[in-house]
Amino acid sequence: MKLILLGAPGAGKGTVAKLLSAIDGSVQISTGDILRGEVQAGSDLGRQAEEYMKKGDLVPDSLIMGIMEKRLQAPDCAKGFLLDGFPRTIPQARALKELMARLDITLDMVVNIDVSRDVLLDRLTTRRTCVNPACQAIYNIKSNPPQKDGICNKCGSPVVQRDDETAEAINHRLETYNQKTAPLIGFYQEDGMFHNITGATSDIVVNAIKSELGM
Ligand code: AMP
């Protein structure tokens, strides 16, 4: 399947992408995960992105499009992909449309995972993430804590609160989402492949997507 997953930070895009990926092998492409990997590796790209990310600002569109242009042409995308956290601005959505036309890729659907602000805030402040760039497993101290406190079940690396998941950065990220990313809903509604799914749980969202796709 070839999907764009839209939704505010904390809406569950990453969790839904992982569940969908397990169904048919479509790859999850999370620009946030890619950028965090670059920051940890200390690459040029990571150094350019780091300050924006810490503050909860968006990384410039040109850097993101450079990443995505390469990523969408990798062989593993042929099976399908789940775009998680991209596009995040109207210019990115326009550039993606042009890129897909050039690469002859057709999307199946754009899904907006719709979650209330209270739930988003609660999820983001209690979320913890594995620091290993190759893992980045997500936990929640209330609903899904690691078996050993602060240690990833999957790879044994430390599980921490992200720099951009302090109360201040979270508020800023939600503001940025409302200003820059929420307008994508209108953009894709006009395209006619848009589906809004109220995401009480990730399983509900996954089942709704499967039924829309006739799976
Ligand atoms: P995420 O893990 O998707 O919440 O992304 C974490 C941070 O990475 C965001 O707050 C942005 O600073 C940056 N980022 C991720 N994806 C994008 C994107 N498509 N455009 C701009 N910045 C992004």
Side-chain angles (χ1 to χ4, degrees), residues 146-158:
Q147 282 153 5
K148 269 196 219 156
D149 201 19
I151 301 293
C152 180
N153 298 345
K154 292 186 184 147
C155 74
S157 302

Side-chain angles (χ1 to χ4, degrees), residues 31-32 35-36 53 57-59 64 85 88 92 162 173:
T31 39
L35 290 166
R36 278 185 289 281
M53 293 174 76
D57 282 331
L58 292 183
V59 171
I64 298 290
R88 222 116 148 183
Q92 287 181 21
R162 277 165 43 178
R173 282 166 68 201

Side-chain angles (χ1 to χ4, degrees), residues 58 88-90 175-184:
L58 292 183
R88 222 116 148 183
T89 63
I90 295 279
E175 224 173 84
T176 304
Y177 168 80
N178 286 332
Q179 278 179 13
K180 307 238 168 91
T181 309
L184 292 182

Side-chain angles (χ1 to χ4, degrees), residues 54-125:
K54 267 194 191 151
K55 283 190 274 180
D57 282 331
L58 292 183
V59 171
D61 293 333
S62 55
L63 288 186
I64 298 290
M65 288 317 300
I67 295 173
M68 288 308 296
E69 172 137 18
K70 269 199 217 130
R71 186 66 189 88
L72 282 174
Q73 294 183 71
D76 62 348
C77 288
K79 272 192 203 158
F81 52 76
L82 308 153
L83 301 185
D84 157 15
F86 169 84
R88 222 116 148 183
T89 63
I90 295 279
Q92 287 181 21
R94 290 206 181 105
L96 174 64
K97 201 169 175 177
E98 187 271 330
L99 178 62
M100 286 193 306
R102 189 152 39 92
L103 300 178
D104 201 17
I105 297 174
T106 311
L107 273 181
D108 294 315
M109 195 159 72
V110 178
V111 175
N112 183 52
I113 308 176
D114 199 357
V115 174
S116 75
R117 186 181 167 91
D118 283 353
V119 173
L120 295 175
L121 282 173
D122 185 54
R123 282 192 191 159
L124 289 169
T125 48

